[in-house]
Amino acid sequence: MVSAKAWAERVASNVILDAAGLIAIAELKIIQRGTALTSSASCCDALVLCPGIHRQQDATLLNGGEYPMTANMNTNYIFRIENQATVAYMQTVGKTGHLTELQVGPDQRPLRYFPFLLDLSGPPLAQLCYLAALCMTVFGLALVIAIQDFWMMGVFAMLIIARLLNVVIIQRRRDAQWHGTKEPGQYASLLILASQDRWFRMTGFVDDLKAVTSGQWLRETTAFESAMEGVATMLVYLCAALASNGTQVGKITILVMFMVNGGLLAVSNGLTDILYMKEMTVRKTGAKRYNRRLEMAHELLATSKQKDWALKLGLVSRLKTDDEGAQSSKDSVVTA
C-alpha cells in the first residue's frame, strides 16, 4: 500500500513552488479590516492564517488619517470622530451624495462575554466563512503532519505563534477606556461630514455615542508590546524564507490555504455590515440621496431645535431670525 507521503510526492513531483512562502508577506488588509470590524481579536484567530499577519497592528491606519468634523445637533457642539475603526466603517458603508443613517446601541451577541476565546461577528454566512477558514488551517496542518513535512510543520507553528502574539497585543491595547463624563439617559443625533461628500447621521444615547466616537480604540504600543510585534513580524518573514525547504505538497498546501483563507476572510468582512466597538454596535439603517448638500441641510434644520451647528459646519453662510423668534437658514451656502 502506497503511503500518504509517497502518494503526495508523486502527485506534486512536477510542480515547482520554491517561492510559495512569499505569499505570507503579501501586503493585504484582510486581517486589519476584520480586527477593525470586531474591535478585537480572539485566540481562535491564531488558527486563521492568511496573508497580512504581520500588519494586524496597523488596523488603526485604515481610516487613512481622516477624522471627520461632527456636530451634535442637540447641543451645537462641534468635534471630530477620534475612533479610527468607526471612521473606517463609515468610509465603507457611506456613499457620495448620500446621508447615511447609523444607529448605535448595546452589543447583544450571546458570546460577547468570551471574546478572547472566540469572537463570532456578523450574519451567519460571515460566521460560516470565518469558521471555514479556521477549519482550512487545521486541515492544512493535519496534511503536512500526515506527510511528515517537518519544515512545513515548523512554518505552520511559527505562523500560529505570530498570529497569537498579535492577538495578545490587540487585547492589551484595548484597555483605553476614557470617553469623557457620563451623561446617562441623554439622547443625541450627530451629523458627520466625511470626505468625498459622504454624510452621516448617527443617533443613540450620548454615552453609547461617546463609546464609539471619542477617546482611543487601541492605545499606542508599549516598549514590550513593540518587541512582541517585532518578534511576530520576524517570524512571518522567517516563514517566507524557510518555506522553500518543504516538500512540494507542503508548499502547495500552504499556498492553497493562504489563497482560500484570504478569500473566505474577505467575504466574511464584506458580509459584516455591523461595527462592534466597546460593547456597542454601529449599524446602517438607511441612506437617502440628495442632489445638493443644501437640500440635506434644510431638511435637517427643519427637524432640529438647534440651528447653530449648520453654521459652524459651514453648511450655510449665515442664519437669520424670523418674526416668531425661530431661526431659519438663508438660501446661501459655502459649498455644494
Side-chain angles (χ1 to χ4, degrees):
M1 183 176 180
V2 181
S3 66
K5 181 178 180 180
W7 173 83
E9 289 292 349
R10 185 170 59 187
V11 170
S13 59
N14 295 323
V15 181
I16 300 176
L17 291 170
D18 289 340
L22 292 178
I23 194 173
I25 58 176
E27 298 289 324
L28 302 184
K29 299 181 179 180
I30 303 170
I31 293 179
Q32 296 177 48
R33 293 201 175 277
T35 302
L37 284 171
T38 61
S39 76
S40 182
S42 66
C43 289
C44 287
D45 288 348
L47 294 177
V48 181
L49 305 179
C50 72
I53 293 174
H54 59 301
R55 298 298 303 274
Q56 184 169 5
Q57 302 305 318
D58 291 337
T60 53
L61 304 179
L62 287 176
N63 63 323
E66 180 180 3
Y67 297 92
M69 292 297 297
T70 305
N72 185 329
M73 294 189 289
N74 297 75
T75 63
N76 291 321
Y77 182 65
I78 305 298
F79 60 99
R80 293 184 182 274
I81 302 294
E82 299 292 342
N83 190 308
Q84 301 98 327
T86 301
V87 176
Y89 172 75
M90 291 191 300
Q91 291 172 341
T92 301
V93 301
K95 290 183 179 181
T96 297
H98 288 71
L99 177 65
T100 303
E101 301 284 350
L102 301 176
Q103 181 66 42
V104 179
D107 187 352
Q108 301 293 339
R109 288 177 297 172
L111 295 177
R112 72 184 182 91
Y113 296 105
F114 307 98
F116 187 75
L117 298 177
L118 178 64
D119 192 354
L120 293 177
S121 305
L125 186 55
Q127 299 176 20
L128 182 62
C129 289
Y130 173 86
L131 293 175
L134 190 152
C135 293
M136 185 68 184
T137 300
V138 174
F139 174 78
L141 180 59
L143 180 58
V144 297
I145 293 175
I147 64 175
Q148 301 178 24
D149 188 341
F150 297 105
W151 280 103
M152 280 304 171
M153 291 182 205
V155 168
F156 267 87
M158 287 188 289
L159 289 173
I160 292 173
I161 292 173
R163 193 82 157 92
L164 189 59
L165 287 174
N166 276 294
V167 167
V168 173
I169 296 171
I170 291 291
Q171 287 291 339
R172 287 172 57 92
R173 293 178 66 191
R174 292 180 68 244
D175 61 3
Q177 296 296 331
W178 184 92
H179 299 293
T181 303
K182 292 287 186 179
E183 301 180 52
Q186 298 294 319
Y187 198 82
S189 294
L190 307 180
L191 178 63
I192 306 167
L193 304 182
S195 61
Q196 302 175 17
D197 283 321
R198 291 172 291 190
W199 316 309
F200 303 86
R201 179 164 55 183
M202 182 182 292
T203 57
F205 288 102
V206 172
D207 289 337
D208 297 348
L209 293 172
K210 286 183 176 181
V212 301
T213 61
S214 64
Q216 285 183 311
W217 162 41
L218 296 178
R219 59 165 174 75
E220 300 299 322
T221 56
T222 64
F224 176 68
E225 291 162 356
S226 295
M228 292 175 61
E229 182 184 359
V231 171
T233 301
M234 292 304 298
L235 284 175
V236 175
Y237 278 90
L238 189 60
C239 290
L242 298 180
S244 60
N245 295 305
T247 64
Q248 292 297 91
V249 173
K251 296 173 187 175
I252 293 174
T253 300
I254 199 168
L255 180 63
V256 172
M257 180 197 69
F258 272 129
M259 293 177 63
V260 173
N261 282 2
L264 288 171
L265 283 187
V267 171
S268 178
N269 292 343
L271 292 173
T272 304
D273 56 354
I274 301 174
L275 173 68
Y276 300 89
M277 175 65 59
K278 305 281 187 176
E279 298 187 357
M280 299 293 163
T281 61
V282 181
R283 65 181 70 235
K284 176 182 176 181
T285 58
K288 182 177 180 180
R289 186 180 185 278
Y290 292 91
N291 293 322
R292 299 180 65 189
R293 193 167 70 169
L294 178 60
E295 296 178 13
M296 177 195 69
H298 280 307
E299 186 172 305
L300 294 177
L301 284 168
T303 59
S304 176
K305 294 182 179 179
Q306 301 292 334
K307 312 293 181 180
D308 288 342
W309 54 265
L311 184 62
K312 293 179 179 180
L313 284 180
L315 292 176
V316 296
S317 62
R318 63 176 180 171
L319 299 169
K320 66 178 182 179
T321 305
D322 58 24
D323 296 334
E324 297 179 356
Q327 290 181 317
S328 60
S329 63
K330 188 177 180 180
D331 291 343
S332 59
V333 291
V334 175
T335 58

